[in-house]
Amino acid sequence: MKITRIETIPVRVPIHARLAIRGKGGMHAVSPFLLVKVHTSEGICGLGEVSATPRWSWEDQVTAAHFIESIFAPLLVGQDPSEVETLSARTRAALFGNTFTKAAIEMALWDIAGKAAGVPVCRLLGGPVRARIPIKWSISGVDPVRASEIAAWALEKGFRTMKVKVGIDAEQDIARVRAVRDVVGAEVRLGVDANGAWDVPTAIRMIRALGEFEIYFAEQPVAPGDPERMAEVRRSVDIPVLADESVCSVDDAAMLIRASAASAFSIYVGKSAGIGPARTIAATAAAAGRPCTVGSNLELGVATAAMIHLAAATHGIDAEQFPCDIIGPLFYTEEILREPLRIADGHADLPQGIGLGVELDDDAVLRFRV
Ligand SMILES: [Mg+2]
């Protein structure tokens, strides 16, 4: 089997108005993605997905499509797609950065390998270590009334762990967390995510102030970069500090571990350039006694499936302690998959099909194509 060509399809998918994301990075109401199809000589097609929101994923649909066409396609066409490790290492070496585009290619190669072998990707990774993946809902930085409405909705949907976006305004942050705690009661585990918005003294002050609401973790309280910032926060508070924007690579994880800067890591398929590199980070973290969770850029169904296979097959991802943000498809007004992924009752279920286990709904893709 050989790779014959790589097709890219830019789409923009609207987010439910009530769930539109507001955080330190501003408002987010429509999500741009680049869908990727890796075609082969055997008629098997591998699916991939690039998150293409520059603020979060460093690239847009044009840059991602350009690098696939100009750099990755010449490297990959004519090659055996089942050589996932060799080919993804080549794409990583050919271009600095642009991990989300590399991840789309890598997940498509896994999809092909799984389809060719007649097994789910998770089986190629060693088989599932958990049948269902505990997930948490993410409440955006909206006003307290809307935050409590969203929390009530998430509770009704079966979520028993949630996180609230903070770092926008101290008073509003506290009011938002209070409103959510009031609605969800004492049983729901609640974390906060500042997306790096606080400086060190503010982070320490705010995490202590939020202690009143039984917060069980603080995610990316300070900006990525010097790990010593986060280490100082971690030394000064008594809840776990999660690194998200600070950890994209295994080198980042090693730096954070040496600096004792983070209690746990939020890893992604996109941020780390694929399922394989994300598992390397998880193994590095596990060796240092740090659990991982899986974070999100509100992925559509293809990348969400890749996240589910990653979380299902990886011991180092402690989704029971830190439920994953595998919730992307719930944000969108329409489904792009023929058969939606099952994400309900606070869990994401492993799709049963071969490869990534998902198929695109071509009509839906056409509607959102730009
Ligand atoms: Mg985060």
Side-chain angles (χ1 to χ4, degrees):
M1 181 166 48
K2 302 275 185 236
I3 297 170
T4 51
R5 70 191 170 93
I6 305 178
E7 181 186 351
T8 58
I9 307 167
V11 293
R12 283 171 64 83
V13 188
I15 294 180
H16 279 295
R18 59 188 297 208
L19 298 176
I21 294 295
R22 181 171 179 264
K24 188 211 165 199
M27 200 66 185
H28 183 134
V30 178
S31 289
F33 294 91
L34 189 73
L35 298 171
V36 176
K37 291 183 175 178
V38 177
H39 296 278
T40 66
S41 55
E42 308 280 300
I44 295 174
C45 169
L47 297 176
E49 175 190 315
V50 187
S51 298
T53 304
R55 178 176 278 280
W56 298 111
S57 53
W58 320 319
E59 45 208 331
D60 64 18
Q61 294 162 319
V62 176
T63 60
H66 166 70
F67 285 127
I68 288 172
E69 188 185 322
S70 66
I71 296 182
F72 297 150
L75 277 179
L76 298 172
V77 169
Q79 303 296 319
D80 174 356
S82 68
E83 309 258 323
V84 180
E85 186 54 35
T86 301
L87 297 185
S88 54
R90 258 183 231 168
T91 65
R92 293 199 294 275
L95 177 66
F96 184 84
N98 300 74
T99 57
F100 287 81
T101 303
K102 293 168 181 170
I105 297 287
E106 198 243 22
M107 73 180 79
L109 296 177
W110 281 117
D111 192 28
I112 294 168
K115 285 170 174 164
V119 296
V121 167
C122 177
R123 288 274 159 205
L124 299 178
L125 302 174
V129 297
R130 53 177 62 82
R132 309 187 76 199
I133 298 137
I135 55 174
K136 65 179 175 296
W137 188 252
S138 177
I139 297 169
S140 122
V142 291
D143 67 68
V145 174
R146 280 198 61 203
S148 61
E149 287 166 6
I150 294 170
W153 172 88
L155 195 64
E156 211 257 329
K157 282 261 173 198
F159 285 94
R160 292 297 174 266
T161 309
M162 301 182 199
K163 74 176 179 187
V164 183
K165 295 284 181 177
V166 292
I168 298 147
D169 168 272
E171 239 175 81
Q172 279 271 317
D173 288 346
I174 288 173
R176 184 179 316 108
V177 175
R178 184 195 305 278
V180 171
R181 178 53 87 197
D182 283 350
V183 166
V184 300
E187 297 301 305
V188 167
R189 290 186 295 178
L190 214 53
V192 293
D193 183 357
N195 291 112
W198 290 324
D199 59 21
V200 172
T202 308
I204 295 168
R205 195 177 65 242
M206 287 298 292
I207 293 168
R208 286 179 182 163
L210 290 166
E212 183 190 338
F213 310 111
E214 296 291 323
I215 297 306
Y216 94 109
F217 68 80
E219 183 171 325
Q220 198 67 42
V222 289
D226 184 356
E228 186 45 37
R229 274 198 290 272
M230 206 182 285
E232 195 180 336
V233 174
R234 185 167 177 241
R235 282 193 297 272
S236 310
V237 301
D238 56 7
I239 57 170
V241 172
L242 264 64
D244 178 353
E245 286 88 340
S246 284
V247 57
C248 300
S249 66
V250 73
D251 285 352
D252 292 337
M255 260 192 300
L256 292 162
I257 290 164
R258 270 196 298 274
S260 294
S263 321
F265 300 125
S266 178
I267 59 175
Y268 296 48
V269 173
K271 205 170 57 169
S272 60
I275 293 172
R279 277 162 65 85
T280 308
I281 297 176
T284 304
R290 306 289 202 281
C292 289
T293 183
V294 176
S296 169
N297 290 91
L298 306 194
E299 292 77 2
L300 298 175
V302 176
T304 299
M307 293 155 71
I308 293 174
H309 287 279
L310 165 71
T314 307
H315 271 298
I317 293 170
D318 188 350
E320 288 71 29
Q321 191 186 354
F322 295 108
C324 301
D325 298 350
I326 303 181
I327 51 174
L330 300 183
F331 278 87
Y332 297 103
T333 56
E334 265 187 83
E335 185 56 60
I336 64 145
L337 300 182
R338 276 199 210 159
E339 177 85 29
L341 292 162
R342 192 180 141 72
I343 301 175
D345 306 326
H347 289 81
D349 290 350
L350 197 55
Q352 292 306 306
I354 58 175
L356 291 173
V358 294
E359 280 180 276
L360 290 172
D361 175 338
D362 294 327
D363 293 335
V365 171
L366 208 60
R367 273 200 301 283
F368 297 120
R369 184 170 193 144
V370 289

